[in-house]
Amino acid sequence: MSNYYKIAIALAVSTFAIGTTEFVPVGMLTDIAQDMHVSTGMIGLLVTGYAIAQAIGAPIATSFVGRIARRQLFAWLMMAFAVLNLLSAIAPTYGILLGTRALTAVVHGVFFATASVYLTKLAPVDKKGEAASWLFGGLTVATVFGVPFGTYLGEAVGWRATFSVVGLLGVFGY
């Protein structure tokens, strides 16, 4: 297997984990709300706030990582992703949970901004069009399988387990 495909698969697994963590709270709104002692509307902000943090924080953060070697950057980003998801899993308060989700969103944005360019540049000339499909394929699989499985896991053993599993999955991605 070529180096390109090994990296493409690793990045696709990472995008699967990232895509899952982005939307999985939707399926666990009630459970998280009860545990955090807030309304389900407040828990909905875990998804909306994620999007806002990503839209504002990612461009700013991405502007600071231009000189970091990409493989090293992806390793750091996915380690931060794992740690932030584990911190989300053990968050004692809603404010801390919202904060860890916002930071995870920034990691998500930086990852996508840099991974899409990196993989496209790394791809052989005849595979340039395929390169982005690896990343978006990871997101699609996350939406179709990751979020429903995460919701199931949350119902079976608790929402905190879902964040823990997704965080650990991020470590395996890269």
Side-chain angles (χ1 to χ4, degrees):
M1 181 181 298
S2 73
N3 194 39
Y4 162 72
Y5 282 112
K6 289 176 186 175
I7 293 170
I9 290 167
L11 294 175
V13 171
S14 295
T15 59
F16 171 79
I18 288 170
T20 299
T21 204
E22 180 177 10
F23 295 114
V24 79
V26 173
M28 304 182 297
L29 290 172
T30 305
D31 294 338
I32 299 172
Q34 288 174 347
D35 191 37
M36 291 279 130
H37 307 290
V38 297
S39 69
T40 54
M42 291 292 287
I43 299 304
L45 287 175
L46 295 178
V47 176
T48 305
Y50 191 102
I52 292 168
Q54 184 181 39
I56 294 169
I60 295 167
T62 301
S63 70
F64 291 104
V65 300
R67 296 199 173 153
I68 301 172
R70 290 302 172 235
R71 293 179 105 177
Q72 184 179 22
L73 175 64
F74 298 143
W76 288 350
L77 289 170
M78 293 317 294
M79 188 56 66
F81 173 85
V83 168
L84 288 165
N85 272 283
L86 293 173
L87 289 174
S88 292
I90 63 170
T93 66
Y94 173 76
I96 292 172
L97 179 58
L98 188 61
T100 58
R101 293 278 301 160
L103 292 172
T104 303
V106 174
V107 167
H108 172 164
V110 173
F111 180 88
F112 266 91
T114 55
S116 58
V117 173
Y118 175 75
L119 195 54
T120 303
K121 285 183 178 181
L122 182 67
V125 173
D126 63 328
K127 303 290 183 188
K128 297 283 184 196
E130 171 188 286
S133 70
W134 283 97
L135 300 178
F136 291 105
L139 281 180
T140 301
V141 174
T143 304
V144 174
F145 296 108
V147 173
F149 177 75
T151 300
Y152 169 78
L153 183 64
E155 290 176 2
V157 294
W159 69 269
R160 294 175 186 275
T162 299
F163 281 105
S164 297
V165 169
V166 171
L168 292 174
L169 182 61
V171 172
F172 292 114
Y174 211 83

